[in-house]
Amino acid sequence: MNTVLALRDVSKQFPSHLAVDRVSLQVQRGEFFSLLGPSGCGKTTTLRMIAGFETPTSGEIRLNGAPIEQLKPYERNVSTVFQNYALFPHLTVRENVEFGLRRTKQSDIAKRVRDVLELVRLSGKESRYPTQISGGERQRVALARSLVLAPDVLLLDEPLSALDPNLRKQLRSELKSLQRRVEITFLFVTHDQEEALSMSDRIGVMHAGVLEQVGTPEEIYLTPRTRFVAGFLGAMNWLGDIGVRPEAVRVSESAPGNGARCRSATVVQSSFLGNCLRLEARLENGDPLVAELSRLNGSFAPGDRVHLWWQPADELTFV
Amino acid sequence: MIRLRRLFLAPAWIITAGLFLAPLGIVVVYSLLTRGAYGGFSLPWTAESYTRLMDPLYLPILLRSFWIAGASTVLCLLLGFPLALFIARSGARRNLYLSMVMLPFWTSFLVRTYAWMFLLRDTGLINSLLIKLGVIHDPLPLLYNDGAVLVGLVYSYLPFMVLPLYGTLERLDGTLLEAAADLGATPWAALTRVVIPLCTPGIRAGSILVFIPCLGAYLTPDLLGGGKSEMIGNLIQNQFTTARDWPFGSAISLVLMGIVMALLFAFVRRDREGLL
């Protein structure tokens, strides 16, 4: 593994606000790296600085070791898949894919275009215009148009968000396996934690311009470093500064004496979710607590008195 | 409801029929009559006015008109495109710039053309300034030639090019330009491969809006061309005034109209999306 893209103390000050605040980040060659965060957290601005559409106010961006932050977008060997795909409406699928291959030999172009269209399963649609194909196909044209250039890093700006939810889930695994096959580094920007968790080798979580944590999906989910990261990925019960995941909470009728943390509570609502039972309860001090239980635990009715408990190891503490 | 709609449409129909179709009919009738001894017209019916147009005397005027109108259109396009692009990309100030483009319309066309005469004539602003600065000793022949007519036409019809161009450029999705740059296109390549192709409807509409009035222009060539730079419009005007040949004037008008309509149809038919 070696570093293909490195950001050092990169900031972007807009007239109204600081969009990106001293972000440092290293992306390894061949990695699927996601920048995850709510809208307005600075993840898209970071991506646009790497692509060259924005110039950093300060800091350094290196691609293959060479600084690129002063280069124009057309001088950088990175390529972007835009959120709305930005396909050229006056060009066919083939012409869109060929757009970036201007300086390539003519004989090579035909083969490369054919190969990449086969890769994204668009063979046979070469002569269609973007308005004549489906949303999923448009997304694949946008991918093919960038992949055919074999960029050092492929930047993807929420490429699945314009698609309908079913298609989106299906495309996650497709995109992931595509990335494995082409062995191109993907830098994927998303606000969807499920998307980031399911596809990424590593995730960087951003909040208010700051990169809060970088790690594997497991690290980010199981050992979040900040309260924001803990709350943004998955559900979390908060008991003061202590967070407990709903799936770590167990239920019993009497207090277990095994060193577990235990609270007595009243059931507010119990919902059967098929694979699990979701129990919403209220503690004696009035705080809500949610537990996701195996359906084998039996059933509960509102008003039932229960004991909710979890292992101290499952507690996440933030000061 | 239908009766009410007819009622509202009635004024428009009356104006179209009374002020456009009826005079046009009169022109058609005149063009087929004989010239009267003291102006006006008389019988018998004849097509002589049309056959006279074949006279080699008039062909150069026709060609000149096309050449000047075509050159004006190209110049308007070359000047108007960067201007429209600049306005479309100037954010909050675009309305200010647009109103500056429209501003000349607030004064009379005639006054504006006279203003150009004051600028271009031998003792005009440009020549006297250049002489005062010692750049030249004798005034440059700026007025009463084709160049002066071109300047006047381009100046007058530039807004008709800028507005439709602005309309298409303003709708252009900015991420397409980012995508072009992202795929390695220099700004020039992005302009020729993305912006201009997507702007074709505006280019087409603007060209028609400039070319047609330029082809029939008579005031600008009359004042700035000084009679030396005659166009079809002046020829028609002369038939109704000094030459007192109404049938011939009518015939030229109708031929000009026919040419313009033929061009227009050819243009519109090529426009697949009908985005005129």
Side-chain angles (χ1 to χ4, degrees):
Chain A
M1 283 273 199
N2 58 349
T3 303
V4 59
L5 178 72
L7 279 69
R8 214 188 64 207
D9 288 332
V10 171
S11 295
K12 179 66 185 180
Q13 175 78 56
F14 284 122
S16 57
H17 66 292
L18 184 63
V20 175
D21 189 1
R22 281 163 297 156
V23 164
S24 295
L25 175 68
Q26 298 203 330
V27 178
Q28 308 303 320
R29 197 176 302 280
E31 190 176 28
F32 196 124
F33 191 99
S34 291
L35 272 180
L36 173 68
S39 64
C41 72
K43 58 190 192 300
T44 295
T45 305
T46 306
L47 192 84
R48 290 174 60 81
M49 286 193 283
I50 299 167
F53 305 135
E54 307 281 358
T55 313
T57 313
S58 62
E60 198 181 54
I61 303 175
R62 283 175 178 269
L63 188 68
N64 291 323
I68 58 162
E69 70 274 357
Q70 297 304 327
L71 296 183
K72 302 280 185 219
Y74 49 86
E75 295 166 332
R76 308 178 179 204
N77 193 22
V78 297
S79 194
T80 311
V81 174
F82 293 83
Q83 190 169 6
N84 68 353
Y85 313 140
L87 299 180
F88 302 116
H90 61 298
L91 301 178
T92 61
V93 168
R94 184 202 307 278
E95 289 164 341
N96 264 283
V97 175
E98 285 172 351
F99 192 94
L101 290 172
R102 257 267 163 113
R103 291 187 200 95
T104 318
K105 265 194 298 171
Q106 204 66 33
S107 56
D108 288 354
I109 291 180
K111 182 176 162 27
R112 282 170 74 171
V113 170
R114 198 169 57 238
D115 289 350
V116 79
L117 284 175
E118 203 166 303
L119 185 72
V120 299
R121 293 178 295 107
L122 276 172
S123 307
K125 311 243 168 166
E126 291 91 344
S127 312
R128 303 275 187 91
Y129 284 89
T131 48
Q132 297 170 329
I133 55 178
S134 71
E137 287 168 340
R138 262 175 247 158
Q139 193 245 11
R140 303 211 296 270
V141 176
L143 261 174
R145 187 173 71 173
S146 290
L147 286 175
V148 78
L149 302 175
D152 288 323
V153 180
L154 183 69
L155 308 167
L156 302 103
D157 185 9
E158 310 233 6
L160 302 180
S161 65
L163 303 169
D164 70 77
N166 287 332
L167 192 58
R168 209 182 304 170
K169 282 196 178 160
Q170 178 198 330
L171 283 177
R172 276 183 208 163
S173 52
E174 279 189 25
L175 203 57
K176 175 74 182 173
S177 67
L178 183 71
Q179 191 262 340
R180 284 277 169 273
R181 256 180 296 157
V182 296
E183 294 174 335
I184 287 175
T185 313
F186 275 33
L187 181 56
F188 186 89
V189 158
T190 182
H191 66 269
D192 185 323
Q193 40 135 335
E194 253 186 72
E195 236 168 65
L197 288 173
S198 63
M199 292 194 289
S200 316
D201 296 316
R202 285 194 305 149
I203 299 173
V205 184
M206 282 189 80
H207 174 51
V210 176
L211 187 64
E212 299 231 332
Q213 187 173 0
V214 175
T216 64
E218 291 83 1
E219 283 166 1
I220 298 274
Y221 187 82
L222 298 174
T223 55
R225 200 178 296 153
T226 66
R227 198 183 162 112
F228 173 80
V229 175
F232 190 71
L233 278 105
M236 187 66 84
N237 292 301
W238 290 104
L239 304 147
D241 288 329
I242 292 171
V244 182
R245 298 274 185 207
E247 70 268 21
V249 179
R250 301 278 175 273
V251 69
S252 60
E253 280 172 19
S254 56
N258 53 1
R261 316 268 193 207
C262 184
R263 297 278 202 283
S264 59
T266 312
V267 174
V268 176
Q269 202 186 336
S270 153
S271 346
F272 179 66
L273 298 179
N275 60 340
C276 73
L277 195 69
R278 182 182 155 88
L279 203 66
E280 290 169 48
R282 197 164 292 283
L283 301 179
E284 278 163 352
N285 67 359
D287 282 351
L289 192 78
V290 174
E292 275 174 20
L293 307 163
S294 163
R295 61 183 167 79
L296 304 174
N297 279 313
S299 59
F300 300 87
D304 284 359
R305 304 279 303 168
V306 291
H307 285 87
L308 296 172
W309 58 274
W310 56 88
Q311 297 297 340
D314 287 326
E315 287 184 346
L316 298 159
T317 312
F318 302 95
V319 188
Chain B
M1 269 311 285
I2 290 173
R3 281 177 62 187
L4 195 65
R5 188 158 63 186
R6 279 186 187 161
L7 199 68
F8 278 114
L9 279 173
W13 274 113
I14 291 166
I15 286 170
T16 309
L19 299 181
F20 174 70
L21 289 177
L24 188 65
I26 294 171
V27 174
V28 173
V29 171
Y30 278 10
S31 73
L32 293 167
L33 285 164
T34 312
R35 172 189 179 182
Y38 305 100
F41 51 89
S42 61
L43 286 167
W45 299 98
T46 173
E48 201 218 314
S49 297
Y50 290 95
T51 49
R52 251 183 79 196
L53 254 180
M54 303 297 147
D55 193 314
L57 199 61
Y58 304 114
L59 189 67
I61 296 178
L62 198 71
L63 291 179
R64 274 180 59 79
S65 302
F66 274 94
W67 147 243
I68 288 181
S72 303
T73 309
V74 170
L75 284 174
C76 276
L77 189 59
L78 292 178
L79 291 171
F81 196 90
L83 180 59
L85 195 61
F86 168 76
I87 296 175
R89 297 175 131 223
S90 48
R93 309 188 92 173
R94 58 172 60 165
N95 283 337
L96 173 73
Y97 295 141
L98 273 181
S99 56
M100 282 167 72
V101 169
M102 305 289 291
L103 201 63
F105 288 124
W106 290 18
T107 52
S108 145
F109 182 68
L110 191 64
V111 170
R112 283 183 279 138
T113 309
Y114 271 116
W116 272 107
M117 294 176 73
F118 279 101
L119 285 174
L120 297 177
R121 63 183 181 180
D122 286 359
T123 55
L125 206 62
I126 295 172
N127 271 322
S128 49
L129 197 70
L130 287 176
I131 289 169
K132 207 169 263 175
L133 289 172
V135 183
I136 50 169
H137 295 292
D138 301 310
L140 296 169
L142 297 176
L143 195 57
Y144 305 134
N145 53 39
D146 283 0
V149 176
L150 270 180
V151 166
L153 288 175
V154 168
Y155 161 77
S156 302
Y157 292 105
L158 190 60
F160 294 94
M161 182 63 87
V162 171
L163 293 180
L165 285 179
Y166 167 79
T168 48
L169 285 170
E170 193 253 331
R171 284 200 305 270
L172 192 73
D173 180 0
T175 55
L176 292 179
L177 298 182
E178 288 186 348
D182 193 70
L183 295 167
T186 59
W188 178 254
L191 182 75
T192 54
R193 298 175 67 195
V194 178
V195 180
I196 291 176
L198 287 174
C199 203
T200 321
I203 293 173
R204 195 172 281 156
S207 300
I208 289 173
L209 287 176
V210 172
F211 184 79
I212 290 175
C214 282
L215 191 62
Y218 78 90
L219 192 67
T220 311
D222 195 39
L223 293 178
L224 301 180
K228 275 189 275 178
S229 190
E230 208 175 19
M231 290 175 69
I232 309 178
N234 308 107
L235 186 63
I236 296 171
Q237 187 202 17
N238 282 340
Q239 303 315 310
F240 284 97
T241 54
T242 40
R244 295 198 168 206
D245 194 341
W246 291 16
F248 189 46
S250 303
I252 311 169
S253 305
L254 289 172
V255 168
L256 178 63
M257 202 174 95
I259 292 170
V260 166
M261 283 179 70
L263 283 175
L264 209 56
F265 275 117
F267 236 61
V268 173
R269 280 188 65 178
R270 281 192 52 200
D271 190 0
R272 278 176 301 148
E273 302 109 314
L275 286 166
L276 194 69

